[in-house]
Amino acid sequence: MTTCILAGLARYPRFPLLHEATPIERLARLEQHLAPALNGVQLYVKRDDHMRLGGGGNKLRKLEFLLGQALADGADTVITVGGLQSNHARLTAAAAALAGLQCELVLTRQVQRDDADYEYSGNVLLDGLFGARVHALPGSVHGLAWANERADALRAQGRKVAVLPTGGSTPLGSLGYAVCAQEIVQQSQQMGLAFQQVIVPNGSAGTHAGLSAGFAALGLSASLVRSHAVLADAPVSRQRTWELAQQALALLGSEANIALEEIDVDGAQRGAGYGATTPAMLDAVRLLARTQGLLLDPVYSGKAFAGMLADIAAGRYAPGQSILFVMTGGTPGLYAYRATFG
C-alpha cells in the first residue's frame, strides 16, 4: 500500500522544503505530571513544528506541492491570503524567498484587535523580514477576491502569478499531509506502536483532510484522525474536510472511499471564534511549556491540545492506548498574544 501512495504523489511537482521526516516524541514528563488523571493513556507528539525553514510549521508540507506546481507553471510571483497573524502567510513568504519568487500577502483583520503586539509583532514581523509585500486590509474585505484582482493587475504588467487560498488548503496542498500519514505509519511500525488516534487542529481543513486521505489510501480508516475546529464551527469544518479529503484521494488515484461519518471534528474548543483566547487554551499552552519545554500556539495547536486533554478527562480513551498529537507550529504567534499570557 505504501508503494501505491508514493506512485500517486510522484505525479505532482514538488519544491522540497522538508529535510527529513519530523520526529515523534513521547511526552513522558507531561504523563508524570498528569498521572493518574491520564488513566494509563500514553501521549506522543509529531513535531511538525520542528522544521528548518521559516520557523517551522504544518504549512510547509502543503507548500511543497503548491510551490512545486507554481514553479512548474513558470510563476515568478506568489500571492496568498490569511488573517493578519497568519502562519501560512509567514511560511509562504519564507518558502518563496528560498524559491526565488516574489511574494505578496493579503492579510485581513479577522481578529478584533489593534494593539501593537498584534499589528506588528509575531508573524507580521517575520513576513517583512522574509521580503514579502504585505497588504493589511479590514476584516470586511474578501481576501481571496482582492488577491485575484491584484494578481490580474500584476499579470497585466507581464508577471506570472500563482494565487494560493487560505492555509494552502487545496486538494493539491492537502497531499502534503498524505505524505505525513505515510510518515506516521512508517514511524509507528518502527516504534512498535499502534496509535489509536491522531489529533490536529482544524482551521482551513487541509491538514485533517490530507491525513484522512493518506490513511485511507494506505488501507486504514479516515476516522483515525480527530480534529478540533478553530475557524468555522464543527459542521462546516467537517463538510469542508470531507470534500477536500475526497478530492485529495482522487489526486492520489486511490480507489478508497471516505464517508462523511468518518470525518471526526469537535467544536468545543473554538471559543468565541478564530483567534479568540479561551481559558482551556491558555492552560494547555502553559502546561506543555512547563512540563516538556515545548511551545503550542494560541490560535491552532493550543486549542487542539486543550481538546485532547478534555477528551482524556472525559474517558474517551482506554488505559494503555497511544495518542499522537501533531504539533503544527505557529509559535511566532505567541508574541502577538504577549499581553494575554502576561
Side-chain angles (χ1 to χ4, degrees):
M1 299 298 284
T2 302
T3 303
C4 175
I5 194 172
L6 283 173
L9 292 167
R11 293 183 294 194
Y12 303 100
R14 290 168 70 177
F15 180 65
L17 297 171
L18 279 68
H19 294 81
E20 63 258 330
T22 58
I24 291 177
E25 303 171 357
R26 188 165 181 179
L27 297 178
R29 279 278 295 119
L30 179 61
E31 290 179 0
Q32 293 171 10
H33 177 82
L34 291 176
L38 274 179
N39 194 32
V41 175
Q42 299 177 8
L43 301 180
Y44 293 81
V45 289
K46 183 160 176 61
R47 297 289 308 278
D48 270 17
D49 62 323
H50 186 71
M51 298 178 184
R52 300 181 191 178
L53 183 72
N58 65 322
K59 310 302 183 184
L60 289 175
R61 291 190 182 272
K62 303 174 186 180
L63 286 164
E64 284 200 323
F65 288 90
L66 295 171
L67 291 191
Q69 189 61 57
L71 291 167
D73 293 339
D76 54 40
T77 303
V78 62
I79 303 176
T80 197
V81 300
L84 191 65
Q85 283 289 339
S86 167
N87 297 307
H88 167 67
R90 180 245 310 168
L91 287 172
T92 301
L98 182 63
L101 297 170
Q102 296 295 309
C103 180
E104 298 199 13
L105 307 176
V106 179
L107 307 181
T108 55
R109 292 178 169 84
Q110 300 175 19
V111 179
Q112 298 303 307
R113 284 181 52 186
D114 59 4
D115 55 282
D117 286 338
Y118 199 81
E119 288 277 325
Y120 305 111
S121 185
N123 286 309
V124 177
L125 171 65
L126 298 181
D127 294 339
L129 287 177
F130 292 133
R133 180 173 180 176
V134 176
H135 306 277
L137 305 173
S140 58
V141 173
H142 189 288
L144 188 57
W146 200 98
N148 282 320
E149 291 178 4
R150 174 63 179 164
D152 288 340
L154 292 175
R155 290 178 185 125
Q157 300 171 16
R159 305 270 286 279
K160 295 183 178 179
V161 186
V163 178
L164 311 181
T166 300
S169 291
T170 67
L172 182 64
S174 296
L175 294 183
Y177 266 86
V179 175
C180 185
Q182 183 172 273
E183 282 182 20
I184 291 170
V185 169
Q186 292 172 338
Q187 289 172 307
S188 63
Q189 291 171 347
Q190 292 164 0
M191 298 171 74
L193 288 172
F195 292 114
Q196 279 70 45
Q197 196 91 86
V198 177
I199 298 169
V200 295
N202 192 318
S204 54
T207 300
H208 185 161
L211 283 170
S212 288
F215 286 133
L218 291 166
L220 301 171
S221 174
S223 64
L224 183 61
V225 188
R226 177 171 168 82
S227 69
H228 295 272
V230 302
L231 179 58
D233 60 21
V236 172
S237 297
R238 182 178 298 111
Q239 183 70 27
R240 173 62 174 156
T241 302
W242 180 53
E243 292 170 357
L244 267 179
Q246 290 178 305
Q247 292 164 344
L249 267 179
L251 291 182
L252 287 171
S254 172
E255 296 181 359
N257 183 57
I258 297 175
L260 178 59
E261 293 73 26
E262 293 181 273
I263 302 299
D264 183 4
V265 181
D266 179 77
Q269 301 299 320
R270 180 171 169 264
Y274 176 78
T277 59
T278 66
M281 177 278 292
L282 294 170
D283 288 346
V285 172
R286 291 184 175 116
L287 177 63
L288 193 62
R290 293 171 184 180
T291 58
Q292 295 283 162
L294 297 178
L295 297 175
L296 300 167
D297 83 289
V299 179
Y300 294 91
S301 59
K303 290 184 176 180
F305 203 86
M308 180 188 73
L309 294 176
D311 283 342
I312 292 170
R316 180 180 177 87
Y317 305 111
Q321 289 190 324
S322 298
I323 310 303
L324 179 65
F325 183 84
V326 180
M327 291 189 64
T328 51
T331 53
L334 283 168
Y335 299 103
Y337 285 76
R338 178 185 61 87
T340 303
F341 283 95

